[in-house]
Amino acid sequence: MTPLQKVAASFLCALFALIVLATFLLPAHYARQFRDIPNAGPSSAHPLGTDALGRDFLARLLYGTRVSLLLAPAAALLATLIAAVLGSAAGLLGGWFERIVLAATDLSLALPWLFLLLVVRAMLPLDVPPLVSVVIAFLMMGLLGWQASVRVICAAARGVRDSDFLLLARSSGCRPARLLVRHVAPNLRPLFYAQFFISIPLFILTEANLSILGLGVMEPMPSWGNLMRGFEDFSTLSTNPWRLTPLVLLVIVVMCFHLVLPSQEVAQ
Amino acid sequence: MNETQKSANLFRLALRRLVILFGLGLVGALASATLVRFAPGYGVTERDLDPRLSANSAEALRQKQALNQSLPAFYFHYLSALARGDLGESDSLKRPVRELLRQRFPVTGNSVIRGLGVAWLAAALLASLGLVIRGWFFEASAIAFNSFLLSLPSAVVAMLAVHLRAPVFFAIAVAVFPRLYSYIRNLLIRAYDQPHVLAARARGLGSGAILLRHVVPLAAPPLLALLGVSFAISFGAAIPIEALCDSPGLGQLAWHAALSRDLPLIVNVTLIVALVMLVANSLADFAGRTFAGSTS
Amino acid sequence: MRRVWIVLALTFVSCWPAFAGPQTADHSGGELHFCLRGEPKTFNPLLVEETSSETIRYLTGGVLIRLNRQTQALEPGLATSWKVSADGRTIKFHLRTGLHFSDGTPFTSEDVAYTMKALMDPQLHSPTGDSFRSGEGQVTVQTPSADSVVVTFPAPVAGLERLFDQVAILSAHSPKKEMAVLGPFYVADYAPGSSILLRRNTNYWKKDKEGKPLPYLDSIRLDIQRNRDIELLRFRRGEIHLIDVLDAEYFDRLQKETPAVAHDAGTGLDSEFVWFNQVPTAPFAENKKAWFRSTEFRKAISMAINRDDLSRIVFGGHARPAFGPVSPANHFWFNSSLPAPQYDSAAALRLLAQAGFRLEGSMLRDSSGNRVEFTVITNSGNKSREQMVAMIEQDLSQIGIKVNLVTLDFPSLIERITRTYDYEACLLGLVNTDLDPNSQMNVWLSSAENHQWNPKQSKPATAWEAELDRLMHAQASATSDKKRKADWDRVQQIVAEQQPFIYLVNKDAMSAVSPAVVGSAPSVLDPHAFWNAEVLRLGADPALGAQK
């Protein structure tokens, strides 16, 4: 690890610790409205001011960070699992199955999946608590975001299939299940880890994009994307620059992830 | 095998591939039609909330709307019309889909091509400059800049583009550039470290000459493949960016079609998008494979 | 030497429009530029249902009677005078003579007859036509002469004259069909998805006081622009001259920069309200249905909502607490004796206690011990509605009620409230364009489709809904406005007592008009900023002059 990577890693760790402890640090509940001071500037009671409804911006930022940072890995995990199963099965079995999986992957990139998100939200029962609906939103992202990893994993699995050691193991009468567990999985595992870590920042960004479009996390629950919805009005940003903090934090975190991650070579 | 036979073979192969792609595109289009048909809110319009309409009229209009009630029938009609080159009429805009696509496609195509051009130019320039300069400071700042761009949510970039009055292609370029840059840079570095390039350097050849004469030819095949992939990426990025910037292209049309549950429109837009993406991807595959075969 | 001449000539040619500009500006009003928020779905004035088509109809259509958007009085249009018969079934128009459509076709009573017949065709299903329908039977149109028309309806139509403000007269003979118009402008060019160009109709009948032909403007360019932020941005840059409907947050922003361009015409007709689903077959728990059917429950909710905070925070003060179906902006029909709603959570709790609810700790429970909790749906992408729900959530938490918010895209939302009834409460707004209570017939009749809280009842579910039905029918068939007003006042009172719709605020009618536009007078009624488009003209404004 280079020193820079160490700095990035420790920043991420500190941030994770902070958001876990956020409940104790918050100046106020994220949804509590101080109606006498909407759109206030920074003060000692509200270090980052308040939003249009008078909610403490720092509390919303911290809570939103928690939502984004804890749920993005969950989505990444789901996506990597799907990609791992599909990709390695396609790579190992080859033939028609591989072709079908790869074609489906290509195709699913072209489908209107933004619309799918919209539909799923409209079909969910209405009386779910906000937290559950947020979790569902992230799981949906995970379900829909596996395509990029499939190609990589499939290619790697194909490599394993054609490798000498597998040939050797197979010729010595190793059963398929054992083959998979003892030989194939250990070879692909580092790739799975890499894919998992690489997808975390991607899902952080996806959440931001979706929430800005109004398809992500729902009010009053904050998230990075949600807090950035007000950016459409850039002119007020110049007078209250502290509103930019979610974007700054997001960019720093994603950059840190890029730094800490194994080089992009593995990913692509 | 003589030359004509060979080219005939190749042609047949390409044709088969094209047919498969078209079939895939159709599958995608019909899948999205199914999705829209069964999405909540299909066949509902804001008209349902118009208190001026009498019960009779509301009912009659609803009957009219229920034309695409049965999905297999819709599939059948759509496919048979498509075979005749007829793309149908949009439910919500009441205009032929072909006309809508003809108006919108050039807008998107234009932004994508310009965006790609800018992104490629910038990425290639920056990457080769990095090779020629080879200073740690330049490299570090290039990487930092690249990583910064990668970390910006594209919705924010689109909003920024709107605010700065930058055209849509600018946002596309910003979205595509960082992906291109890191890939091109890695390719060039790898090519640079090849033995014969090292030998050329040892012979004292100028860095510009090395780049042009040895490095570029070596990196050309994967770069060609990258061209296809980057086209698919930028086309994919254009859709949400256009929807967000309200640029009258395919993306905005797709978004409108989805929100108004416009079956004939969404089918065709998906078909077009899927075909463009699939063709770009498979051209990339093809280029990568052919050139890889010829160089090894 | 020759080259120099060519250069000079070219310079002159390229400057020529600049020289020509100021001279022509004397008698022409230039090109007004503003945005439509969606693609107009039709250019046929009879089929208009949404705002964009309505805008086109307003600017291009010639009508017999025009409602003055400022005075709320009726003014002669193509008809110089009219008379409604004592039984309210027949209206007789006396038409202007010597008029021509935009394409030169002469205008006669035949055109009016043609338009009315087309409009009342039962196969047309036009919202405009349906508002004339009061009973079964045929509408007959007679043309005793080229300048008079008599229209007879099968049953009395309440507020008959006013409805003609929406009827743009078509030509019976013009080969250009509905594109031949009698209004101040005609559609000259249409680029789908991007813009519409309207040009001055030189055959328009109206003249100003000095006898100059109207309109002053040469043309109007309407850009189709869905995104309101972009619209505002373009206004600020001087690319467009007006924003007809301005949201409160944008209003404040504009006012901070250039106070002169932001216009608040005062409380408008639009209202925002929330209602509970009282449909007996709705797919949710019976105990919740019992709450929603309880008048005390609805009144308590209404009392526990702080409407002043809503209008102050969500609308920046550009809204007024609402308490009935009619906005005070509707001078004649508003019932001014209704009591203003009081924000009082203690009183709300007392009322809830009467209905068997009790507060345990910080949770309100009903008589069988269920926690009171419900979900409000609203349409996604509407910031002020999301904010209103967030505020209501905090208000109701004071009386122990938990509120969840779910935003849905419009088609899904409409499906839920009109077809599946799978929702508990809904917050929406109503855009009111018509002042007359008759336009709300389909809202208040218990058998109607837009009786949102419990639509299409075969028999009124409650005594007060039966009373509403009776009153609505009574006002529709009464011929004197005084009698109608009495009935309609009673309707407003019942609604205030029963709170089937819990009205929250009436938004102000706000618009933005560039200082370059001379003669603008934004009004409360729709359209706000360009209702007097025929007398608008563009003055000298450096910002806009530059791009001409």
Side-chain angles (χ1 to χ4, degrees):
Chain A
M1 250 189 185
T2 66
L4 199 60
Q5 279 180 322
K6 276 183 197 155
V7 171
S10 39
F11 176 77
L12 286 179
C13 290
L15 198 64
F16 266 99
L18 184 71
I19 57 169
V20 172
L21 297 173
T23 332
F24 308 108
L25 301 169
L26 292 186
H29 187 258
Y30 67 85
R32 165 126 187 252
Q33 296 153 10
F34 297 91
R35 292 186 181 175
D36 299 329
I37 43 165
N39 277 325
S43 64
S44 57
H46 307 287
L48 285 179
T50 58
D51 72 356
L53 292 183
R55 297 176 293 199
D56 184 84
F57 202 70
L58 179 65
R60 290 183 72 71
L61 181 62
L62 281 177
Y63 203 88
T65 307
R66 178 195 277 188
V67 167
S68 297
L69 277 193
L70 291 184
L71 289 173
L77 185 68
L78 187 65
T80 313
L81 273 179
I82 296 173
V85 171
L86 278 180
S88 43
L92 290 175
L93 295 176
W96 270 108
F97 188 72
E98 182 183 353
R99 256 184 254 170
I100 289 177
V101 168
L102 289 183
T105 311
D106 276 351
L107 198 59
S108 66
L109 283 175
L111 284 184
W113 55 271
L114 265 179
F115 178 66
L116 191 62
L117 274 174
L118 198 116
V119 167
V120 169
R121 261 182 55 150
M123 291 204 294
L124 285 179
L126 295 181
D127 46 354
V128 286
L131 192 64
V132 176
S133 66
V134 171
V135 172
I136 292 174
F138 272 92
L139 290 184
M140 281 303 302
M141 279 187 238
L143 271 179
L144 298 173
W146 45 267
Q147 293 92 344
S149 306
V150 164
R151 292 196 144 259
V152 181
I153 293 175
C154 178
R158 208 186 298 135
V160 171
R161 181 186 66 195
D162 300 337
S163 66
D164 299 339
F165 72 89
L166 206 70
L167 214 64
L168 206 68
R170 211 182 278 156
S171 62
S172 59
C174 190
R175 273 179 299 123
R178 189 181 156 78
L179 210 67
L180 210 64
V181 174
R182 294 300 297 270
H183 298 281
V184 178
N187 267 293
L188 290 178
R189 200 173 296 143
L191 186 68
F192 293 161
Y193 288 145
Q195 283 301 321
F196 168 67
F197 280 110
I198 284 164
S199 6
I200 294 176
L202 289 184
F203 281 107
I204 293 179
L205 287 173
T206 311
E207 185 277 327
N209 284 330
L210 289 180
S211 294
I212 289 173
L213 281 174
L215 291 174
V217 174
M218 241 180 258
E219 284 274 324
M221 187 74 84
S223 75
W224 279 347
N226 243 339
L227 295 173
M228 283 190 259
R229 275 177 84 179
F231 282 11
E232 283 143 6
D233 174 30
F234 274 86
S235 62
T236 53
L237 279 182
S238 54
T239 50
N240 7 336
W242 53 88
R243 288 282 169 82
L244 275 171
T245 41
L247 180 64
V248 173
L249 203 58
L250 180 140
V251 168
I252 293 178
V253 166
V254 174
M255 281 176 86
C256 283
F257 267 109
H258 286 164
L259 272 174
V260 176
L261 288 179
S263 83
Q264 299 282 318
E265 291 290 281
V266 188
Q268 283 162 7
Chain B
M1 213 192 305
N2 62 34
E3 276 305 305
T4 47
Q5 239 179 336
K6 209 168 163 185
S7 59
N9 240 349
L10 203 68
F11 178 72
R12 209 175 306 144
L13 212 70
L15 202 68
R16 216 183 97 193
R17 183 79 199 149
L18 217 62
V19 169
I20 293 178
L21 286 186
F22 190 74
L24 262 179
L26 267 184
V27 170
L30 295 183
S32 70
T34 313
L35 180 67
V36 168
R37 174 62 190 82
F38 289 108
Y42 177 76
V44 178
T45 57
E46 287 184 34
R47 187 163 52 203
D48 288 5
L49 294 182
D50 192 336
R52 289 173 301 176
L53 276 178
S54 69
N56 282 340
S57 299
E59 194 49 45
L61 288 169
R62 216 165 286 157
Q63 291 298 325
K64 232 191 256 174
Q65 192 79 34
L67 275 180
N68 301 323
Q69 212 53 275
S70 121
L71 207 55
F74 172 77
Y75 282 171
F76 179 75
H77 282 299
Y78 174 67
L79 290 177
S80 57
L82 189 68
R84 278 179 277 117
D86 173 17
L87 299 181
E89 189 186 66
S90 151
D91 279 343
S92 61
L93 296 173
K94 304 279 179 241
R95 258 193 294 277
V97 174
R98 176 201 285 274
E99 183 193 314
L100 287 168
L101 290 178
R102 201 188 303 134
Q103 283 154 359
R104 305 303 185 95
F105 193 76
V107 178
T108 307
N110 204 336
S111 333
V112 165
I113 287 172
R114 283 192 196 188
L116 263 185
V118 171
W120 266 89
L121 209 68
L125 217 65
L126 210 63
S128 36
L129 229 91
L131 279 186
V132 175
I133 295 176
R134 285 228 160 183
W136 72 268
F137 180 75
F138 182 86
E139 200 144 308
S141 45
I143 289 177
F145 176 64
N146 195 44
S147 165
F148 171 73
L149 287 187
L150 264 183
S151 313
L152 275 180
S154 47
V156 171
V157 173
M159 286 197 288
L160 199 70
V162 167
H163 188 73
L164 297 177
R165 272 195 104 183
V168 173
F169 77 78
F170 162 80
I172 295 178
V174 170
V176 182
F177 164 79
R179 282 161 244 272
L180 284 180
Y181 170 73
S182 54
Y183 197 83
I184 294 180
R185 185 173 153 272
N186 288 338
L187 267 180
L188 291 185
I189 287 180
R190 219 180 299 158
Y192 239 90
D193 292 343
Q194 293 283 321
H196 71 276
V197 180
L198 282 175
R201 273 160 74 184
R203 267 184 287 143
L205 220 62
S207 49
I210 292 179
L211 189 69
L212 284 182
R213 231 179 281 162
H214 296 284
V215 176
V216 170
L218 209 61
L223 282 183
L224 271 176
L226 185 62
L227 190 66
V229 176
S230 66
F231 188 77
I233 293 179
S234 57
F235 205 80
I239 302 292
I241 289 177
E242 279 187 341
L244 213 67
C245 290
D246 222 2
S247 145
L250 279 182
Q252 192 209 39
L253 193 66
W255 191 233
H256 168 87
L259 287 186
S260 53
R261 312 287 193 268
D262 193 333
L263 213 52
L265 195 53
I266 197 99
V267 165
N268 289 302
V269 174
T270 319
L271 181 64
I272 298 269
V273 174
L275 278 182
V276 170
M277 305 270 275
L278 288 171
V279 168
N281 269 331
S282 75
L283 272 183
D285 260 10
F286 183 72
R289 225 174 284 161
T290 324
F291 287 104
S294 69
T295 46
S296 65
Chain C
M1 201 58 209
R2 247 176 75 192
R3 217 205 245 146
V4 173
W5 279 114
I6 292 172
V7 171
L8 274 179
L10 280 176
T11 322
F12 180 76
V13 168
S14 58
C15 290
W16 185 72
F19 285 122
Q23 287 163 1
T24 50
D26 274 348
H27 66 259
S28 82
E31 181 169 281
L32 187 76
H33 213 146
F34 64 96
C35 294
L36 292 178
R37 285 183 181 162
E39 194 94 27
K41 292 208 171 124
T42 177
F43 284 130
N44 183 345
L46 305 183
L47 290 174
V48 165
E49 18 183 80
E50 92 301 354
T51 329
S52 301
S53 308
E54 177 98 44
T55 300
I56 307 286
R57 180 174 73 182
Y58 187 85
L59 291 170
T60 61
V63 295
L64 296 169
I65 304 174
R66 183 52 100 198
L67 174 74
N68 184 313
R69 297 320 203 243
Q70 194 142 52
T71 60
Q72 302 193 3
L74 296 174
E75 288 174 354
L78 298 172
T80 49
S81 65
W82 60 89
K83 193 168 179 350
V84 181
S85 66
D87 64 356
R89 284 178 52 211
T90 305
I91 184 165
K92 184 176 180 189
F93 294 102
H94 195 78
L95 306 179
R96 265 172 228 284
T97 48
L99 305 189
H100 294 269
F101 282 87
S102 55
D103 67 336
T105 318
F107 163 70
T108 63
S109 57
E110 217 177 309
D111 299 311
V112 178
Y114 169 78
T115 307
M116 283 313 291
K117 276 180 192 145
L119 182 69
M120 298 314 292
D121 178 0
Q123 296 305 309
L124 186 72
H125 305 304
S126 135
T128 316
D130 279 358
S131 48
F132 281 97
R133 252 177 260 281
S134 54
E136 294 298 311
Q138 287 288 316
V139 175
T140 54
V141 190
Q142 289 155 320
T143 49
S145 68
D147 63 350
S148 63
V149 184
V150 181
V151 188
T152 310
F153 293 89
V157 182
L160 181 59
E161 316 98 288
R162 231 171 244 278
L163 294 175
F164 282 93
D165 177 66
Q166 308 284 313
V167 185
I169 301 301
L170 298 176
S171 166
H173 300 297
S174 167
K176 297 182 84 176
K177 299 256 171 63
E178 71 252 21
M179 301 313 270
V181 294
L182 289 163
F185 300 92
Y186 69 95
V187 177
D189 190 31
Y190 171 41
S194 86
S195 75
I196 298 165
L197 180 69
L198 307 181
R199 270 193 212 289
R200 182 220 314 258
N201 173 9
T202 45
N203 291 337
Y204 186 53
W205 59 273
K206 217 168 176 176
K207 302 213 166 16
D208 70 3
K209 280 183 203 119
E210 283 120 50
K212 268 197 216 154
L214 292 176
Y216 296 131
L217 290 169
D218 290 327
S219 53
I220 300 182
R221 181 171 293 279
L222 303 164
D223 284 347
I224 297 162
Q225 181 76 67
R226 283 169 193 82
N227 188 323
R228 297 183 183 197
D229 291 292
I230 299 180
E231 189 183 12
L232 185 73
L233 213 64
R234 296 188 57 188
F235 180 80
R236 278 201 191 124
R237 290 193 184 117
E239 291 171 9
I240 55 172
H241 295 100
L242 57 91
I243 300 178
D244 194 49
V245 180
L246 193 62
D247 294 341
E249 55 168 328
Y250 300 133
F251 183 90
D252 277 350
R253 264 186 243 163
L254 266 184
Q255 203 177 31
K256 248 175 253 163
E257 291 170 18
T258 30
V261 301
H263 293 274
D264 185 339
T267 310
L269 296 177
D270 301 354
S271 52
E272 300 280 318
F273 51 88
V274 63
W275 77 88
F276 290 105
N277 181 359
Q278 298 184 47
V279 177
T281 54
F284 55 84
E286 283 304 319
N287 63 311
K288 286 195 175 181
K289 287 183 199 164
W291 308 338
F292 300 157
R293 274 197 291 264
S294 151
T295 307
E296 286 84 9
F297 179 80
R298 296 193 301 267
K299 284 181 90 165
I301 299 285
S302 173
M303 265 184 207
I305 294 174
N306 190 339
R307 291 175 172 79
D308 287 324
D309 275 2
L310 286 183
S311 65
R312 181 173 57 89
I313 293 175
V314 177
F315 297 98
H318 302 291
R320 161 170 177 161
F323 36 102
V326 180
S327 157
N330 191 345
H331 305 312
F332 182 75
W333 296 105
F334 173 65
N335 181 352
S336 52
S337 65
L338 289 184
Q342 294 298 318
Y343 166 61
D344 188 345
S345 34
L349 272 176
R350 284 197 295 277
L351 205 59
L352 285 169
Q354 280 174 28
F357 294 89
R358 59 185 192 282
L359 194 62
E360 276 177 19
S362 61
M363 281 184 206
L364 188 75
R365 295 187 184 278
D366 67 5
S367 49
S368 32
N370 298 302
R371 160 124 216 231
V372 180
E373 175 178 0
F374 57 84
T375 302
V376 178
I377 58 173
T378 189
N379 60 315
S380 56
N382 189 317
K383 219 159 147 192
S384 58
R385 290 195 185 138
E386 281 174 35
Q387 290 181 334
M388 278 196 279
V389 179
M391 295 195 68
I392 291 173
E393 185 183 346
Q394 179 160 321
D395 284 339
L396 295 189
S397 72
Q398 311 274 333
I399 57 169
I401 296 176
K402 188 167 181 329
V403 177
N404 296 317
L405 161 69
V406 172
T407 57
L408 297 169
D409 72 315
F410 238 119
S412 318
L413 181 95
I414 297 173
E415 182 175 77
R416 277 182 194 262
I417 62 179
T418 62
R419 308 209 177 162
T420 62
Y421 308 122
D422 186 5
Y423 71 102
E424 293 167 359
C426 178
L427 188 149
L428 268 189
L430 195 68
V431 176
N432 253 328
T433 45
D434 202 341
L435 298 170
D436 198 279
N438 225 27
S439 65
Q440 296 192 26
M441 215 51 183
N442 279 336
V443 175
W444 302 110
L445 288 185
S446 62
S447 57
E449 304 220 357
N450 292 86
H451 192 70
Q452 297 312 350
W453 69 88
N454 189 3
K456 296 194 241 180
Q457 303 172 38
S458 49
K459 194 160 71 194
T462 58
W464 57 269
E465 282 176 278
E467 178 68 3
L468 283 185
D469 284 359
R470 191 189 66 76
L471 289 166
M472 287 310 287
H473 283 304
Q475 70 78 26
S477 50
T479 46
S480 96
D481 275 354
K482 208 172 152 206
K483 168 78 176 68
R484 292 185 64 210
K485 171 88 163 84
D487 289 337
W488 183 233
D489 276 354
R490 179 78 189 117
V491 169
Q492 295 177 56
Q493 200 186 342
I494 293 177
V495 172
E497 282 161 9
Q498 294 294 335
Q499 300 280 341
F501 287 147
I502 299 174
Y503 287 91
L504 302 170
V505 291
N506 289 124
K507 294 191 285 182
D508 284 5
M510 287 173 282
S511 48
V513 183
S514 148
V517 179
V518 180
S520 87
S523 77
V524 165
L525 301 191
D526 204 48
H528 307 293
F530 60 86
W531 67 272
N532 55 351
E534 53 194 22
V535 299
L536 293 182
R537 63 169 104 207
L538 294 184
D541 181 68
L544 283 152
Q547 54 144 1
K548 283 267 146 55

